[in-house]
């Protein structure tokens, strides 16, 4: 998977892309991340990448010419890549969207800054628009990092055997069960007995029931699209009768 990231702030990406899973995926050449400084494609003496908005108003708008030049150079090198923009108007990044984007051979990600990007960039080049959610970020860079991270996890071989994507929350549409590690008791709080029992069937059942309980309590909206067995549905009906509320 090839990622080309077009940004005014390439330095923002150094930390996050140089650690852990993304670092290893890069080392294994499962992904290739290239950063492109949009300012390098401005041709005037001051390398101007932004200007005041037509019609007036606060802030600045990213100019079309440097972005067009940058996108055209990058696209010419990667003709099969999809041009994606990170913007508050985009569709929300979900596991499903990440899985869809992971099927493309490459992504060219345009990061907005200031009040936004000249609309003609979208009209001419942008095939998809991605948002992280309904809150204000200072620009598209952090959204681009989230996109690269979530897509990389779905590239075959990017996760080690101890990081399997199959067991990830959201792949069956439920929240994760609670996790514990040593010690067995901390400040009076005990690890649930079943996890120490060595009874793998009982552990599996407990975890599934915890996932269902948590999802119903914290994210009932997820249950509509979750992959549920007949047993899961029975368990949920039982939880309904319990009424819970006290236990997370
Ligand atoms: C405060 C300015 N806003 C009202 C006039 C408009 C606005 C412009 C530019 C709000 C945010 C941004 C920069 N944000 C992004 O580029 C962005 C974003 C986000 O803000 N929230 C969630 N996802 C994303 S993806 C890109």
């Amino acid at each position: 998977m090839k990622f080309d990231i077009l940004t005014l702030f390439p330095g923002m990406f150094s930390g996050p892309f140089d650690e852990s899973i993304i670092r290893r995926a890069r080392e294994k050449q499962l992904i290739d991340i290239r950063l492109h400084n949009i300012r390098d494609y401005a041709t005037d003496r001051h390398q101007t990448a932004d200007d005041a908005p037509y019609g007036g108003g606060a802030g600045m708008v990213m100019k079309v010419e440097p972005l067009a030049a940058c996108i055209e150079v990058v696209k010419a090198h990667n003709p099969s890549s999809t041009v994606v923009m990170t913007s508050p108007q985009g569709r929300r990044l979900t596991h499903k969207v990440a899985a869809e984007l992971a099927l493309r051979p490459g992504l060219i990600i345009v990061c907005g800054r200031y009040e936004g990007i000249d609309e003609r960039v979208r009209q001419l080049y942008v095939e998809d628009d991605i948002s992280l959610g309904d809150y204000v970020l200072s620009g598209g860079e952090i959204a681009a990092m989230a996109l690269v991270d979530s897509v990389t996890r779905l590239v075959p071989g990017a996760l080690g055997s101890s990081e399997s994507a199959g067991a990830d929350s959201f792949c069956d549409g439920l929240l994760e069960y609670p996790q514990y590690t040593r010690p067995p008791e901390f400040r009076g709080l005990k690890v649930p007995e079943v996890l120490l029992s060595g009874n793998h069937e009982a552990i599996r059942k407990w975890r599934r029931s915890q996932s269902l309980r948590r999802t119903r309590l914290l994210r009932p909206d997820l249950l509509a699209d979750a992959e549920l067995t007949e047993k899961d549905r029975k368990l949920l009906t039982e939880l309904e009768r319990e009424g819970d509320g006290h236990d997370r």
Side-chain angles (χ1 to χ4, degrees):
M1 166 70 67
K2 176 97 189 262
F3 298 102
D4 286 282
I5 300 173
L6 281 50
T7 172
L8 288 171
F9 299 99
M12 284 182 71
F13 294 84
S14 318
F17 286 171
D18 295 330
E19 303 280 357
S20 180
I21 286 166
I22 294 184
R23 180 207 184 104
R24 284 200 301 277
R26 295 177 84 175
E27 285 169 356
K28 290 195 253 177
Q29 295 179 37
L30 295 171
I31 61 169
D32 179 9
I33 303 176
R34 310 240 170 141
L35 293 160
H36 307 270
N37 192 337
I38 296 160
R39 195 173 296 281
D40 293 344
Y41 294 82
T43 52
D44 63 309
R45 203 160 56 85
H46 301 287
Q47 300 211 284
T48 312
D50 62 311
D51 203 344
Y54 273 124
M60 299 293 266
V61 173
M62 286 171 71
K63 288 171 65 62
V64 62
E65 303 100 312
L67 259 167
C70 187
I71 292 169
E72 282 172 16
V73 165
V74 171
K75 183 94 185 176
H77 278 97
N78 312 275
S80 62
S81 286
T82 305
V83 180
V84 175
M85 186 151 111
T86 55
S87 90
Q89 293 104 284
R91 53 186 182 136
R92 180 89 64 88
L93 181 59
T94 61
H95 179 78
K96 203 174 135 196
V97 168
E100 183 193 317
L101 294 175
L103 299 175
R104 320 275 171 91
L107 299 176
I108 297 171
I109 306 171
V110 181
C111 303
R113 272 278 152 177
Y114 315 123
E115 284 311 298
I117 299 179
D118 189 303
E119 187 61 21
R120 291 165 292 190
V121 173
R122 180 183 274 107
Q123 291 175 314
L124 286 169
Y125 305 105
V126 176
E127 294 163 73
D128 206 346
D129 247 309
I130 301 295
S131 162
L132 286 196
D134 297 337
Y135 42 85
V136 179
L137 297 173
S138 305
E141 283 78 8
I142 287 176
M145 293 176 207
L147 183 58
V148 168
D149 189 64
S150 60
V151 169
T152 296
R153 299 176 59 80
L154 299 171
V155 172
L159 297 184
S161 49
S162 65
E163 302 150 342
S164 71
D168 257 8
S169 113
F170 296 119
C171 76
D172 60 5
L174 295 177
L175 298 182
E176 209 85 311
Y177 49 78
Q179 302 276 9
Y180 297 88
T181 185
R182 283 175 285 198
E185 181 176 343
F186 183 73
R187 308 222 169 134
L189 298 178
K190 292 195 166 92
V191 175
E193 202 61 52
V194 60
L195 297 179
L196 312 174
S197 70
N199 181 343
H200 298 296
E201 178 58 15
I203 290 169
R204 197 194 53 73
K205 276 189 182 154
W206 181 84
R207 286 180 166 168
R208 189 66 182 177
S209 122
Q210 288 290 316
S211 279
L212 288 163
R213 173 190 285 269
R214 273 193 165 178
T215 307
R216 201 180 76 80
L217 190 68
L218 303 172
R219 292 294 308 277
D221 58 298
L222 293 178
L223 288 174
D225 291 326
E227 285 174 35
L228 300 178
T229 65
E230 210 39 60
K231 266 190 181 158
D232 290 335
R233 293 186 193 284
K234 245 183 83 189
L235 244 163
L236 277 168
T237 325
E238 279 166 34
L239 289 177
E240 219 116 303
R241 254 184 264 116
E242 270 176 48
D244 43 79
H246 31 265
D247 192 351
R248 295 200 296 129

